[in-house]
Amino acid sequence: MGIWSAAPLARAETRTHPDTADAALLEGGRVGLSGRWTADQGAAVEDAAARIAGSAAGAPILVDLSQVSRLDTLGAWVLERTRAEIEAAGGRLAYAGAAPEHRILLSEVKLRAAEPAPAPRGRLYGFLEDLGKRVVGAKSDLVTGLAFFGEVVTACIRVAARPGTFRGTALVNQIEQVAFRGVPIIVLISFLVGGIVAQQGIFQLQRFGAQSFVVNLIGLLILRELGVLLTSIMVAGRSGSAFTAEIGSMRMREEVDALRVMGLDPIEILIVPRILALVIGLPILTFLASLAALAGGGLTASLYGGMTVDAFLARLQAAVSLHHVAVGLIKAPFMALIIGIIATIEGFAVEGSAESLGRHVTASVVKSIFMVIVLDGLFAVFFAAIDF
């Protein structure tokens, strides 16, 4: 039977002089393989592999693959399994004369030892280890966020230098999605929260006969803190998650790579309109949410505190001033920027599975809400320090 026959063969050979591979084995046998080592020859492949293992007998052996006409995954796996059996018995097996594609296939199916099970660890040790990993991960997220923010700023500068390339239609569409379509739910929730805060305030203050001061309470709390904070949290859950899902889906379908192939910058096309829409829309939503919350508080004050609308408005005008309104509106663009940066970073981090998409959408919402609360606290400390 010729060496190019279909059936796989393993024949023992006599060495006349050692080549490089033989010299590495020093002493031992040599087996030449031929034929098709493929799945359709499975039984013959197993027989030939058994003859290789039998000829080793614990000694080094060299397998010559130069005459193998075809090798597929099954043939490579059987050879690697045989190699592992020979080495487990104290022998050694090496390949010679393998075609480049055969050598790649053999390296891919190479049997690897199972990783040892992790040693059991105590709860305290595990908690500290997880905490350390999260701290290191937070540092990495901070560096990634700063780098991405730099890319966004650079893209905005390029757009400002070339206004004709800016996609105004995309910006208008994103403002509609973020601001216009978000008004009903944000106004409704803010109205209810304002009413709840006013109700609880009246119940507590009436013990001291000071229920009229509930106007000061809800006025300052809503205009300075609660209005922008509630709006930012709702926008992070609504628009931030949508940004991550949209960009993540484009990553999964390789549309982002297609934009780069066409010579377009994904930052300019996908990110800049979305972040600008957030920066423009969030202050508007914050203002509307504050008005709705004050309306809810006023309705509750009239129902539970017996306060007329005129008295409520007069006391509200005396309790708050324009700079209280400005405090909430100043915070809004910064919170919008944080939400947009985190949402788009998580979107670009999505890999090619639905599980990855869900994981990064969840991370986007959680991180955005956390950073919004942290930023609100920093602003509160700052405005208190400057007495504003």
Side-chain angles (χ1 to χ4, degrees):
M1 185 177 295
I3 61 174
W4 299 105
S5 62
L9 294 178
R11 62 191 184 282
E13 297 181 351
T14 303
R15 296 182 301 167
T16 57
H17 61 278
D19 54 17
T20 303
D22 287 329
L25 289 172
L26 299 178
E27 296 294 339
R30 180 184 181 109
V31 175
L33 305 187
S34 62
R36 290 161 49 95
W37 287 66
T38 54
D40 60 324
Q41 303 289 331
V45 166
E46 291 287 352
D47 292 340
R51 288 196 294 273
I52 295 174
S55 64
I61 186 171
L62 182 71
V63 176
D64 185 2
L65 303 176
S66 59
Q67 302 301 323
V68 173
S69 59
R70 187 174 179 186
L71 180 71
D72 67 359
T73 306
L74 181 136
W77 182 83
V78 170
L79 285 174
E80 281 299 305
R81 186 195 64 190
T82 304
R83 180 190 61 79
E85 293 173 353
I86 292 174
E87 291 181 354
R92 185 180 172 193
L93 184 146
Y95 301 111
E101 61 272 16
H102 295 168
R103 193 172 295 279
I104 293 173
L105 185 57
L106 287 168
S107 65
E108 290 295 328
V109 302
K110 183 177 181 179
L111 297 179
R112 296 168 178 83
E115 295 183 0
R121 57 184 186 178
R123 292 185 177 180
L124 178 60
Y125 178 81
F127 170 75
L128 293 176
E129 182 182 7
D130 293 339
L131 180 62
K133 290 181 179 179
R134 292 181 181 275
V135 171
V136 173
K139 176 184 176 182
S140 176
D141 289 342
L142 178 61
V143 173
T144 302
L146 291 176
F148 192 81
F149 176 69
E151 293 184 17
V152 172
V153 172
T154 304
C156 291
I157 294 174
R158 289 198 301 267
V159 169
R162 296 180 282 109
T165 63
F166 181 67
R167 290 164 172 78
T169 305
L171 175 62
V172 173
N173 177 65
Q174 292 300 327
I175 291 177
E176 178 186 4
Q177 298 297 327
V178 171
F180 181 74
R181 295 185 183 274
V183 167
I185 184 64
I186 290 176
V187 167
L188 175 61
I189 293 178
S190 299
F191 179 85
L192 295 176
V193 170
I196 293 170
V197 171
Q199 181 198 42
Q200 295 301 313
I202 290 172
F203 287 166
Q204 300 301 319
L205 292 174
Q206 69 183 0
R207 300 177 182 179
F208 311 99
Q211 58 267 29
S212 61
F213 284 96
V214 73
V215 181
N216 303 61
L217 172 67
I218 61 175
L220 296 176
L221 181 62
I222 288 172
L223 292 177
R224 293 182 66 96
E225 303 293 339
L226 205 55
V228 64
L229 190 60
L230 276 177
T231 305
S232 300
I233 290 174
M234 286 186 283
V235 168
R238 182 180 178 274
S239 301
S241 61
F243 289 175
T244 304
E246 291 167 1
I247 297 174
S249 299
M250 296 181 70
R251 283 272 299 169
M252 293 171 63
R253 294 194 297 265
E254 299 182 352
E255 295 178 15
V256 176
D257 296 330
L259 289 174
R260 292 193 176 98
V261 170
M262 291 187 292
L264 302 175
D265 185 4
I267 304 295
E268 291 185 17
I269 296 176
L270 302 177
I271 309 305
V272 172
R274 285 174 166 83
I275 291 182
L276 287 179
L278 278 176
V279 172
I280 295 172
L282 191 57
I284 299 174
L285 291 175
T286 298
F287 181 73
L288 296 177
S290 299
L291 292 181
L294 290 175
L299 179 62
T300 303
S302 65
L303 294 177
Y304 287 89
M307 186 177 297
T308 63
V309 176
D310 291 339
F312 179 86
L313 292 177
R315 191 166 186 88
L316 180 64
Q317 185 177 6
V320 302
S321 59
L322 186 60
H323 81 274
H324 293 122
V325 180
V327 167
L329 296 181
I330 289 173
K331 296 178 184 179
F334 295 95
M335 292 185 176
L337 188 62
I338 288 290
I339 294 171
I341 292 294
I342 293 175
T344 50
I345 286 177
E346 293 296 331
F348 276 113
V350 172
E351 299 173 351
S353 66
E355 179 184 3
S356 174
L357 179 62
R359 185 170 62 251
H360 284 287
V361 169
T362 303
S364 169
V365 175
V366 173
K367 291 179 181 179
S368 296
I369 293 176
F370 174 77
M371 288 305 301
V372 160
I373 295 174
V374 170
L375 188 62
D376 184 73
L378 294 176
F379 268 114
V381 173
F382 172 74
F383 286 131
I386 65 175
D387 194 22
F388 184 70

